[in-house]
Amino acid sequence: MNIQINMIMTGLFKLPYTLLRPIYEKTSFHQSVISELDNERLKNAYAHCREITKIHAKTFYMATRFLPNHKQRSIFAIYGLCRYLDDLVDEAEDLILKKKISPLDVIEKLENFKLNLVDTYRGSAQDDPILIAFSDTLNLYKIPLDLPLQLMDGVKMDLVKNRYSNFNELYDYSYKVASVVGLMTSEIFGYKDPKALEHAVDLGIAMQLTNILRDIGEDLERDRIYLPQDELKDFGLSESDLFSHKLDERFVDFMKFQIERANEYYRSADEGIPMLNRDSRLPVCLARENYSRILSKIEENNFNVYDRRAFLNSTEKLSMVPKVMYSLRSA
């Protein structure tokens, strides 16, 4: 019977997501994440953060649906905050006001947001939806102020730094922009062993390294190279090779080295998933599996990261659900 159920589930999750999504979003299961709140202000704030997550983090968004409602909302609040800061620097876009801003205003916006964030931790009421939702999340979970402040330091690095001399520098950047997000969300997921936080850090590093390898071409267009300069040199590569989109044996060997390092961090992250609260293991494992498969897509694309973006479509992401559920059951 279990085999038959698994076969049915596998077949269901292989249906085109475009068919499933409209049906799913009409269900009370989906709508209750927001509708169960009895405060209109909070409803609007969390709905705003969920929409940001839905648009900008499709892999992450799908994984969160397997969390209890209160945890989903808090994850949306954290992602909304992270994305706001990221887009403020990368796109000069204010996701609260929903408009482009002058690059000259970015620093001022960041400083104002920092002041409002600190006030939020002190219990002051805020007007923007992201901090309204985040404030409510802080009432439920203990997220140290140091974590979002480190995140802000990380995203600000993009304003002044577009090259990384070695992996230590890149690790520091990746820790601030990704691992601290893992540490924040770990407080939402819950954990039974503090060592889970060490593995959460490694999952953040792994995901950020995946982002970097996937986005090499896009970053070059912005004159950004998030690759260790000394390692490029070790493989006989120069910046001009990257800008001319060299896809030779040197570059392939370099990419294989980078992918293997990212996979080492994913393997470390795997040790932390059983330490999380049971109701959070599936979404974390699902996000990990789908994100790491981007590295396989890079390989399938023959390491062409210059003008081919490695990604999983929604059906591919959903098709992983039965496999991950089974692996967690048998663990």
Side-chain angles (χ1 to χ4, degrees), residues 156-183:
K156 284 167 68 175
M157 289 172 68
D158 283 331
L159 297 173
V160 296
K161 190 175 180 67
N162 60 4
R163 300 292 190 274
Y164 291 81
S165 298
N166 50 54
F167 184 69
N168 286 339
E169 286 189 6
L170 188 62
Y171 182 95
D172 179 61
Y173 170 76
S174 299
Y175 178 89
K176 289 177 178 176
V177 300
S179 291
V180 297
V181 180
L183 293 174

Side-chain angles (χ1 to χ4, degrees), residues 216-254:
I216 287 175
E218 295 177 16
D219 289 331
L220 285 170
E221 293 176 2
R222 300 177 176 182
D223 191 32
R224 293 180 182 177
I225 299 177
Y226 294 95
L227 302 169
Q229 298 286 300
D230 60 346
E231 293 176 5
L232 285 168
K233 185 177 180 180
D234 288 343
F235 282 86
L237 293 166
S238 65
E239 285 193 14
S240 61
D241 290 327
L242 298 180
F243 282 110
S244 60
H245 293 190
K246 283 286 177 66
L247 194 55
D248 56 17
E249 184 177 352
R250 296 170 302 160
F251 183 75
V252 170
D253 288 343
F254 173 80

Side-chain angles (χ1 to χ4, degrees), residues 78-94:
I78 289 175
Y79 183 81
L81 183 148
C82 296
R83 188 71 198 197
Y84 172 78
L85 295 173
D86 193 48
D87 277 10
L88 200 57
V89 172
D90 279 353
E91 310 294 340
E93 181 177 6
D94 189 320

Side-chain angles (χ1 to χ4, degrees), residues 25-61:
E25 291 189 348
K26 290 180 180 178
T27 64
S28 59
F29 177 75
H30 171 76
Q31 295 179 1
S32 66
V33 176
I34 303 297
S35 65
E36 72 179 16
L37 294 168
D38 57 10
N39 183 305
E40 286 300 318
R41 194 163 179 261
L42 280 181
K43 282 183 182 180
N44 292 333
Y46 278 118
H48 178 81
C49 292
R50 177 161 72 174
E51 189 65 16
I52 292 173
T53 311
K54 176 181 174 181
I55 293 171
H56 296 285
K58 294 179 176 60
T59 298
F60 191 57
Y61 178 66

Side-chain angles (χ1 to χ4, degrees), residues 129-300:
I130 291 173
L131 287 179
I132 290 171
F134 191 69
S135 176
D136 186 64
T137 292
L138 292 177
N139 291 331
L140 301 173
Y141 303 100
K142 293 181 179 179
I143 300 173
L145 173 60
D146 179 58
L147 294 178
L149 291 183
Q150 286 189 74
L151 173 65
M152 293 190 71
D153 288 341
V155 297
K156 284 167 68 175
M157 289 172 68
D158 283 331
L159 297 173
V160 296
K161 190 175 180 67
N162 60 4
R163 300 292 190 274
Y164 291 81
S165 298
N166 50 54
F167 184 69
N168 286 339
E169 286 189 6
L170 188 62
Y171 182 95
D172 179 61
Y173 170 76
S174 299
Y175 178 89
K176 289 177 178 176
V177 300
S179 291
V180 297
V181 180
L183 293 174
M184 286 193 284
T185 55
S186 291
E187 299 305 320
I188 312 302
F189 298 140
Y191 48 89
K192 59 184 179 182
D193 188 333
K195 288 183 178 179
L197 297 179
E198 298 174 17
H199 298 294
V201 167
D202 285 347
L203 182 56
I205 298 295
M207 288 182 163
Q208 184 61 25
L209 294 180
T210 301
N211 282 339
I212 287 168
L213 297 177
R214 180 196 61 194
D215 296 341
I216 287 175
E218 295 177 16
D219 289 331
L220 285 170
E221 293 176 2
R222 300 177 176 182
D223 191 32
R224 293 180 182 177
I225 299 177
Y226 294 95
L227 302 169
Q229 298 286 300
D230 60 346
E231 293 176 5
L232 285 168
K233 185 177 180 180
D234 288 343
F235 282 86
L237 293 166
S238 65
E239 285 193 14
S240 61
D241 290 327
L242 298 180
F243 282 110
S244 60
H245 293 190
K246 283 286 177 66
L247 194 55
D248 56 17
E249 184 177 352
R250 296 170 302 160
F251 183 75
V252 170
D253 288 343
F254 173 80
M255 289 296 291
K256 287 180 178 178
F257 175 81
Q258 302 298 325
I259 287 172
E260 175 53 28
R261 176 160 55 201
N263 280 325
E264 287 177 6
Y265 281 104
Y266 279 119
R267 286 191 285 270
S268 172
D270 290 340
E271 298 177 36
I273 292 175
M275 300 176 187
L276 299 176
N277 286 3
R278 190 170 295 276
D279 64 5
S280 299
R281 294 175 194 170
L282 173 59
V284 174
C285 191
L286 194 57
R288 175 262 188 258
E289 289 292 331
N290 279 326
Y291 229 85
S292 65
R293 287 170 72 200
I294 293 172
L295 299 175
S296 299
K297 289 285 185 176
I298 290 174
E299 294 173 331
E300 291 171 18

